Amino acid sequence: MQLIEELRWRGMIQDITPGTEEYLNNNKVSGYVGFDPTAASLGIGNLVPVMLLLHFQRHGHHPIALVGGATGRIGDPSGKSDERKMLSEEELERNLAKMQVQLGRFLDFDSSTNPARLVNNYDWFKNYGFLDFLRDVGKHLTVNYMLSKDSVKNRIDSGTGISFTEFSYQLIQGYDFLHLHQNENCHLQFGGSDQFGNITAGMELVRRILGHQEDVYAFTCPLITKADGTKFGKSEKGNIFLDAELTSPYEFYQFWINNSDDDIVKLAKIFSLKPIPEIQALIDAMATQTKVLQYALAEEMTARIHGVEQLEIAKRATALLHGKGGIDDLKGLDLATIENILQGVGQGMVSRAAIQQGMPIIDFLAEAGACASRGDAKRKLTADKCVAINTVGTTDETRTITVDDLIHGRLVLVNLGKRNRFVVYVQD
């Protein structure tokens, strides 16, 4: 199966310029994707073009990952309704360092035949004077051409407008393609579908400066979106990051499990590195096995991003927090791991003095905020019968919470039904 044929099966081709597939089928090509350091971590939305690079390399081509030390200082308006927040030099450098490490988890920079290359566009922009750039590059694309791009038109039509800084982004990205074509023998640029305007601007720039005989091509992949239809961008709320400090391995694991059957099929085709027949077999198994594909992809992706040890912790946490594990599963973990697992779970506090005296369970649930009131707590205990303390169900409204209930002397886990989890910390 040729590259484009496989990417089509995986649902990873949206736009493709004429001649691209034929050129790839007949040549070993250098191609690049750009990543701006606009956040402290890549997210799963950025991971789609990373997977393009990975498949590109697996098919024998030469991948180039461009990190935007220069373009990150400008801000890409594509898919944005407002101007991006400008980052400090320190933030950009810190983000770049993390991004380079994360890219190394997917691309083989040591291959003896087609090693991946990492480049930073700041290296060729840092000494390029503004007037020189306008004279050498800016004159080749008309304002009319630049205004026709969706990233610009959408901002103007929305009424928010666009600064000259962001308006110039497509010209700067276009020069990246020109530079890599001239200096790295790069003939292809690809990325998310929101980048198609910027990418084709680069093709146009190459051909206007070097001549229309130049072989330059492009394709894009669809963006994956959240439930509300917005994209998983690095700077978007609700993103799922690759950095464990921003998205815990447990939350990362849960993201894949909680996808619908329709969505998980699309995600598995994009992200799984299992052979295609194995992926298809898992898809077929969904007819008789609940969430079989969700769990398979969750395990594969969590192990790849966070390692096998963190995967096992995420699986134990899932069993514990979703009713399949017992208190021994929790007590077997150290406090730091427990607190990491419980990120994102509702939290409240009660005083240690109250626990030491023995705190009535109804007061405990209400004061900690696990229940809205004492009446709500009583109803959940006796009528709804949905309360569990440290995974052990109870309907006893006379029960007290004591120091014996504290895990590591620090917290109590409360279950309020199948999906509602709450952790109560004691405060000295």
Side-chain angles (χ1 to χ4, degrees):
M1 188 179 285
Q2 299 276 22
L3 173 64
I4 297 299
E5 183 184 3
E6 177 175 349
L7 293 180
R8 282 201 179 99
W9 182 87
R10 292 178 177 275
M12 296 179 74
I13 295 290
Q14 177 146 328
D15 303 294
I16 186 166
T17 58
T20 301
E21 184 170 6
E22 181 181 2
Y23 190 75
L24 285 168
N25 288 345
N26 295 313
N27 299 275
K28 293 303 180 186
V29 180
S30 290
Y32 91 96
V33 175
F35 304 91
D36 281 345
T38 51
S41 171
L42 294 173
I44 62 165
N46 315 114
L47 201 49
V48 181
V50 174
M51 296 304 295
L52 289 178
L53 280 173
L54 188 154
H55 289 300
F56 190 67
Q57 185 172 33
R58 293 176 81 186
H59 278 265
H61 298 291
H62 304 272
I64 301 172
L66 181 150
V67 292
T71 40
R73 289 164 166 79
I74 300 300
D76 182 3
S78 302
K80 292 289 181 183
S81 58
D82 297 299
E83 193 90 2
R84 286 180 184 269
K85 175 188 174 184
M86 301 296 282
L87 301 180
S88 68
E89 297 286 330
E90 293 75 16
E91 287 175 303
L92 286 167
E93 290 303 319
R94 184 170 61 249
N95 294 351
L96 277 170
K98 288 189 174 183
M99 184 180 293
Q100 290 172 7
V101 171
Q102 291 173 348
L103 287 169
R105 296 178 189 168
F106 295 88
L107 303 177
D108 183 357
F109 291 96
D110 300 315
S111 169
S112 59
T113 55
N114 60 326
R117 287 169 282 173
L118 186 69
V119 297
N120 185 336
N121 61 11
Y122 187 66
D123 291 338
W124 53 84
F125 273 114
K126 61 185 176 183
N127 295 320
Y128 206 154
F130 178 66
L131 295 178
D132 291 335
F133 183 77
L134 291 180
R135 182 193 62 202
D136 299 341
V137 180
K139 68 179 182 179
H140 292 284
L141 293 184
T142 67
V143 170
N144 287 349
Y145 177 85
M146 296 173 72
L147 285 171
S148 70
K149 299 300 182 181
D150 287 342
S151 60
V152 176
K153 286 173 59 179
N154 292 341
R155 284 281 286 276
I156 292 174
D157 293 345
S158 71
T160 59
I162 185 170
S163 70
F164 176 77
T165 300
E166 289 198 347
F167 178 65
S168 68
Y169 187 94
Q170 62 178 290
L171 194 61
I172 295 170
Q173 182 173 329
Y175 182 77
D176 285 341
F177 200 176
L178 174 66
H179 176 89
L180 292 175
H181 182 64
Q182 290 181 301
N183 295 277
E184 300 284 350
N185 194 33
C186 179
H187 290 264
L188 177 70
Q189 183 181 176
F190 43 101
S193 59
D194 61 341
Q195 290 295 306
F196 193 62
N198 291 339
I199 292 172
T200 53
M203 293 174 59
E204 185 70 12
L205 191 63
V206 170
R207 288 170 174 165
R208 290 194 181 190
I209 291 177
L210 301 181
H212 284 269
Q213 77 284 353
E214 294 298 314
D215 290 321
V216 284
Y217 303 94
F219 65 85
T220 65
C221 58
L223 301 178
I224 59 171
T225 57
K226 295 175 283 189
D228 62 3
T230 58
K231 72 175 186 177
F232 282 97
K234 292 189 296 298
S235 55
E236 307 295 335
K237 293 180 180 179
N239 196 7
I240 303 297
F241 291 100
L242 308 190
D243 191 318
E245 293 182 4
L246 298 175
T247 299
S248 72
Y250 165 72
E251 291 173 302
F252 188 82
Y253 182 78
Q254 283 294 311
F255 165 76
W256 305 99
I257 291 174
N258 290 330
N259 273 276
S260 69
D261 284 352
D262 288 341
D263 286 342
I264 203 65
V265 170
K266 292 186 291 186
L267 293 173
K269 287 184 174 183
I270 292 171
F271 291 112
S272 178
L273 291 181
K274 298 179 187 297
I276 286 176
E278 288 188 27
I279 298 173
Q280 188 60 56
L282 285 166
I283 293 171
D284 295 341
M286 294 172 67
T288 56
Q289 300 178 52
T290 303
K291 287 190 175 290
V292 61
L293 185 56
Q294 282 90 335
Y295 278 100
L297 188 59
E299 292 195 12
E300 180 181 352
M301 292 301 296
T302 306
R304 189 185 312 160
I305 301 300
H306 297 294
V308 174
E309 182 178 345
Q310 288 299 319
L311 167 62
E312 291 306 313
I313 291 174
K315 290 168 68 175
R316 291 174 70 180
T318 297
L320 172 73
L321 295 175
H322 296 273
K324 297 178 182 178
I327 191 59
D328 290 340
D329 291 316
L330 195 61
K331 288 182 176 178
L333 302 174
D334 61 79
L335 182 58
T337 299
I338 293 170
E339 291 181 336
N340 184 43
I341 287 171
L342 295 176
Q343 288 182 34
V345 175
Q347 298 183 0
M349 284 192 175
V350 296
S351 72
R352 185 174 296 276
I355 296 295
Q356 288 173 336
Q357 293 173 6
M359 192 172 189
I361 189 170
I362 290 176
D363 294 343
F364 172 79
L365 294 172
E367 288 190 27
C371 295
S373 64
R374 295 181 80 256
D376 182 44
K378 183 173 182 178
R379 183 167 55 254
K380 284 185 167 59
L381 270 167
T382 59
D384 298 340
K385 299 181 180 180
C386 64
V387 176
I389 302 297
N390 294 334
T391 74
V392 179
T394 181
T395 58
D396 183 4
E397 61 183 294
T398 66
R399 188 194 193 291
T400 58
I401 307 299
T402 71
V403 292
D404 292 335
D405 293 303
L406 297 180
I407 299 169
H408 289 295
R410 174 82 173 111
L411 58 90
V412 178
L413 181 66
V414 178
N415 290 22
L416 297 167
K418 290 184 177 180
R419 294 187 177 274
N420 191 356
R421 306 294 182 264
F422 198 87
V423 59
V424 181
Y425 288 94
V426 294
Q427 186 174 35
D428 293 323

